Amino acid sequence: MKLNIALLAGDGIGPEVIDQAVKVSDAIAKKFNHEINWKPALTGAAAIDAVGEPYPDETHEICVASDAVLFGAIGHPRFDNDPSAKVRPEQGLLKMRKKLGLFANVRPTFTFPSLLDKSPLKRERIEGTDLVFLRELTGGIYFGEKGRRDEGETAFDNCVYTRAEVQRLAKKGFELAMTRGKKLCCVDKANVLETSRLWRETVQAMEKDYPEVEVAYEFVDAVAMRLVQWPNSYDVLITENLFGDILTDEASVISGSMGLMPSASLGSDIGLFEPIHGSYPQATGLNIANPMATVLSAAMMFENFGLHEEGQVIRNTVNIALGKGIVTEDLADGGKAYGTKEVGDWLAANI
């Protein structure tokens, strides 16, 4: 297969972890006789510095002309610490999701046998955890009307959803559940929010089309508690933008490190694949960042092309590396810590 992949390294540790995912992907391409044409492009703070825009038109054109996007991370403290900044790296991410039609964020949470004791939760609580969140990405409070009134003394952010937005996300959730444990949980706050009541009634109306799927409806605060009590009781969870943003970060630490979890953002055409962690600017250039999440995001990318064996080879190699202690400092636990580049080299060589 010949693949054109847009490569958006972004900020902070983004370029470092992306480099390792490229190494691994190139090793897979060589092993399985694929050809990858990497197409680098600017985004985030790096793009603001270069052209004054966090998601330039040129970057969008490269993404649209590609088969998929492999993405690093964006963000920089100088924007985080300046509430008055008019242009921010995160605006580029929201713009990219909207313009590419990436409405479904797929975030798996699973455990690694060799790392069960690295989790902040007890082994018996997390063993067997294998769940997937589908977070709606292009609606809700992040995209609703926002502003100030009363001379800046009052701020507002409107949360708006259409039935069609809920239906297309829920459809992906039902379809994913059919390929897994056939359990779907709709996460909302229907006892308080009108948008949540729309979510709940829309999903309820879709149940008849998927009679094999067992559907549950839970409030977001209850799910937040259950994720740290019985995470292995969940299979597929669907939810709106803000709730999904918070819950998926909570779920990410179950595995032992945010540096381990991959994600995909999907729409009707192109897919974007990225680690769930941020740009971690304090570690930039120190060769200490964990590249595993980005590498596993590349595995998700191959699987999205139907190349399941290629994705499984990456997953198996990551598992072997973790079992052998080929890890960065966040997982070394006082033992030998490998550098970002060394982990990437090891993975590529063993593939």
Side-chain angles (χ1 to χ4, degrees):
M1 185 177 284
K2 184 174 182 178
L3 301 170
N4 293 309
I5 308 297
L7 197 63
L8 277 57
D11 309 318
I13 62 169
E16 298 171 59
V17 293
I18 278 287
D19 283 350
Q20 312 321 309
V22 168
K23 284 179 193 174
V24 169
S25 297
D26 284 342
I28 286 289
K30 183 177 180 181
K31 181 180 181 70
F32 289 91
N33 297 314
H34 301 304
E35 180 183 341
I36 301 178
N37 176 29
W38 299 104
K39 302 160 72 174
L42 289 171
T43 191
I48 294 174
D49 291 343
V51 299
E53 160 66 46
Y55 183 61
D57 290 342
E58 182 182 354
T59 296
H60 180 64
E61 290 166 8
I62 288 173
C63 290
V64 168
S66 301
D67 300 307
V69 179
L70 190 60
F71 184 70
I74 59 168
H76 195 282
R78 74 174 185 272
F79 298 97
D80 299 338
N81 298 327
D82 182 7
S84 64
K86 301 299 183 187
V87 181
R88 298 177 175 276
E90 293 76 13
Q91 292 170 342
L93 187 56
L94 296 179
K95 183 179 178 182
M96 177 167 59
R97 289 170 179 167
K98 199 74 169 179
K99 291 187 73 172
L100 292 177
L102 304 173
F103 64 84
N105 182 227
V106 183
R107 277 202 183 186
T109 294
F110 47 87
T111 55
F112 301 86
S114 60
L115 299 181
L116 286 172
D117 294 322
K118 303 279 189 186
S119 174
L121 302 182
K122 293 178 179 178
R123 169 187 283 260
E124 57 267 28
R125 291 199 179 274
I126 64 169
E127 203 159 17
T129 296
D130 180 11
L131 60 88
V132 181
F133 270 97
L134 268 73
R135 165 193 169 195
E136 202 288 324
L137 270 188
T138 58
I141 201 166
Y142 290 176
F143 287 91
E145 182 185 358
K146 51 182 59 56
R148 298 281 184 102
R149 57 175 179 258
D150 303 331
E151 298 181 341
E153 295 302 302
T154 303
F156 62 90
D157 297 274
N158 290 343
C159 183
V160 179
Y161 269 108
T162 66
R163 193 177 303 276
E165 287 175 318
V166 179
Q167 285 172 331
R168 66 182 183 179
L169 191 280
K171 183 174 184 291
K172 282 192 176 292
F174 275 110
E175 291 172 349
L176 181 60
M178 286 294 293
T179 68
R180 293 171 47 90
K182 297 184 179 179
K183 291 168 58 181
L184 181 73
C185 179
C186 177
V187 184
D188 60 35
K189 193 65 178 168
N191 57 337
V192 177
L193 301 177
E194 192 62 34
T195 47
S196 283
R197 287 189 275 274
L198 175 68
W199 270 78
R200 187 169 289 213
E201 70 182 47
T202 301
V203 176
Q204 286 174 337
M206 298 174 69
E207 285 187 38
K208 65 181 184 302
D209 299 323
Y210 303 90
E212 295 179 57
V213 178
E214 176 189 339
V215 185
Y217 299 86
E218 296 186 24
F219 296 146
V220 60
D221 40 355
V223 174
M225 290 188 292
R226 284 189 61 189
L227 275 176
V228 295
Q229 294 175 308
W230 307 287
N232 54 16
S233 66
Y234 289 115
D235 181 23
V236 177
L237 303 94
I238 58 173
T239 193
E240 58 106 82
N241 209 338
L242 176 61
F243 296 162
D245 191 1
I246 297 167
L247 290 175
T248 53
D249 276 2
E250 181 193 10
S252 71
V253 300
I254 291 171
S255 66
S257 170
M258 281 191 75
L260 291 169
M261 291 292 105
S263 77
S265 297
L266 306 176
S268 54
D269 297 313
I270 196 170
L272 179 145
F273 302 85
E274 61 177 314
I276 68 165
H277 59 68
S279 60
Y280 192 15
Q282 306 91 325
T284 303
L286 299 181
N287 195 37
I288 61 173
N290 188 342
M292 296 297 197
T294 315
V295 168
L296 290 169
S297 297
M300 290 183 74
M301 179 183 73
F302 282 110
E303 290 163 348
N304 195 59
F305 289 127
L307 304 175
H308 297 285
E309 186 179 357
E310 287 84 337
Q312 192 58 52
V313 167
I314 294 175
R315 295 178 188 281
N316 291 344
T317 309
V318 166
N319 269 313
I320 293 168
L322 294 173
K324 289 179 175 290
I326 313 298
V327 296
T328 44
E329 66 173 26
D330 57 313
L331 294 173
D333 198 23
K336 176 177 172 54
Y338 290 76
T340 308
K341 295 176 183 177
E342 289 69 39
V343 171
D345 289 341
W346 191 96
L347 294 170
N350 281 269
I351 284 170

